């Protein structure tokens, strides 16, 4: 972005790092914007623009993450339209996409006339023109380890965690009637506030004492619920069981939980549990 004239002979612009830069009349770029220019109209407009760009980039990543977690079909025409936007392109580039059972590869380009540019597992760049593609959740990728190795060789950098997202594979069998996982129970937090603050940092809402993540299996909403505690915010608390339920509150037996809801629920509980107070003997072990 070019330099814009501001007050007192200064010029300002948005730098490569996405922050407002300033240079003086001699052309020297300053380490920060002088306090006298904080309210300059040009500086204010640029600062508002950077804030909007940050929000836009976050919204693009969030939407693509939603497409992946829900394994939604994404029209090729839509990808071609949004690819011109750098924020959309960055969120989509290098993700593993599928176009039918036999077409799997890393998305590198989307064009209205030429279709999708995809790097296959054979290392070939091909052009595909399907009506839609899917961005599979990694737990659904049969060749995940091979894709991870090949992705590392290609030097892929995914803004939306897919290939190297932490996954948990659901066990083949459970005792009849089991509805809860106790793997992450008993994690102590000095205050319930600390647990809920960790949830906010990780992006998980808290409702009725539970950290909640909503996944979708075949279009059906499934909530993973991890108990944090229902006491006063300043009170000590211990984590409880991880359970799954339908949106109306109906509890799901573990055997009926789908692979994506299982993986994302376990990922949520594991991430929150990692922030617990670790006893000295536990740390040594």
């Amino acid at each position: 972005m070019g330099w814009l004239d501001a007050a007192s002979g200064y010029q300002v612009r948005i730098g490569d790092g996405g922050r407002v830069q300033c240079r003086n009349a001699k052309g020297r770029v300053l380490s920060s914007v002088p306090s006298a220019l904080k309210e300059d109209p040009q500086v204010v407009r640029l600062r508002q623009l950077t804030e909007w760009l940050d929000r836009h980039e976050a919204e693009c990543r969030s939407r693509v993450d939603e497409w992946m977690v829900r394994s939604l079909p994404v029209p090729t025409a839509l990808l071609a339209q949004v690819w011109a936007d750098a924020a959309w392109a960055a969120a989509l580039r290098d993700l593993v996409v599928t176009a039918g059972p036999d077409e799997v590869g890393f998305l590198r380009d989307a064009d209205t006339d030429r279709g999708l540019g995809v790097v296959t597992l054979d290392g070939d760049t091909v052009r595909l023109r399907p009506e839609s593609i899917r961005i599979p959740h990694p737990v659904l990728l049969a060749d995940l380890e091979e894709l991870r190795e090949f992705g590392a060789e290609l030097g892929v950098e995914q803004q939306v965690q897919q290939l190297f997202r932490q996954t948990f594979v659901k066990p083949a069998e459970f005792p009849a009637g089991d509805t809860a996982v106790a793997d992450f129970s008993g994690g102590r937090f000095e205050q319930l506030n600390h647990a809920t603050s960790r949830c906010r940092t990780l992006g998980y809402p808290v409702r009725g004492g539970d950290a909640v993540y909503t996944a979708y299996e075949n279009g059906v909403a499934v909530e993973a619920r991890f108990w944090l505690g229902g006491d006063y915010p300043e009170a000590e608390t211990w984590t409880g069981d991880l359970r799954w339920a339908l949106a109306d509150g109906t509890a799901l037996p573990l055997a009926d939980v789908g692979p994506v809801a299982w993986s994302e629920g376990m990922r949520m509980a594991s991430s929150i549990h990692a922030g617990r107070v670790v006893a000295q003997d536990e740390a040594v072990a």
Side-chain angles (χ1 to χ4, degrees), residues 53-71:
L53 289 172
D54 288 343
R55 290 195 302 271
H56 177 56
E57 290 173 359
E59 289 167 359
C60 293
R61 290 192 297 269
S62 177
R63 181 57 59 87
V64 174
D65 186 83
E66 180 184 358
W67 292 344
M68 180 192 66
V69 172
R70 298 181 65 172
S71 293

Side-chain angles (χ1 to χ4, degrees), residues 1-13 20-34 37 43:
M1 183 176 182
W3 292 98
L4 303 175
D5 292 331
S8 303
Y10 289 101
Q11 291 183 313
V12 292
R13 70 175 182 182
V20 179
Q21 288 184 325
C22 180
R23 71 180 181 184
N24 60 22
K26 295 182 179 180
R28 184 169 68 88
V29 178
L30 308 179
S31 59
S32 62
V33 177
L37 291 182
V43 174

Side-chain angles (χ1 to χ4, degrees), residues 24-156:
N24 60 22
K26 295 182 179 180
R28 184 169 68 88
V29 178
L30 308 179
S31 59
S32 62
V33 177
S35 57
L37 291 182
K38 295 293 186 182
E39 302 304 321
D40 183 272
Q42 292 283 35
V43 174
V44 171
R45 280 194 288 269
L46 289 181
R47 189 175 295 119
Q48 291 172 339
L49 177 58
T50 60
E51 291 171 355
W52 181 88
L53 289 172
D54 288 343
R55 290 195 302 271
H56 177 56
E57 290 173 359
E59 289 167 359
C60 293
R61 290 192 297 269
S62 177
R63 181 57 59 87
V64 174
D65 186 83
E66 180 184 358
W67 292 344
M68 180 192 66
V69 172
R70 298 181 65 172
S71 293
L72 292 173
V74 184
T76 300
L78 174 61
L79 293 178
Q81 288 175 1
V82 302
W83 197 268
D85 184 323
W88 275 108
L92 289 162
R93 185 175 290 109
D94 284 339
L95 291 177
V96 176
V97 300
T98 60
D102 300 323
E103 299 286 359
V104 180
F106 294 89
L107 182 63
R108 286 292 174 89
D109 185 36
D111 183 85
T112 302
D113 297 324
R114 297 186 298 161
L116 304 180
V118 174
V119 178
T120 69
L121 285 176
D122 295 325
D124 299 324
T125 299
V126 299
R127 284 284 171 178
L128 305 177
R129 293 178 176 80
E131 289 190 7
S132 65
I133 55 93
R134 293 180 187 269
I135 306 169
H137 187 282
V139 79
L140 300 179
L141 289 169
D143 301 321
L144 180 58
E145 289 305 319
E146 184 180 354
L147 285 163
R148 283 173 171 169
E149 291 177 7
F150 188 50
E153 291 177 10
L154 287 177
V156 302

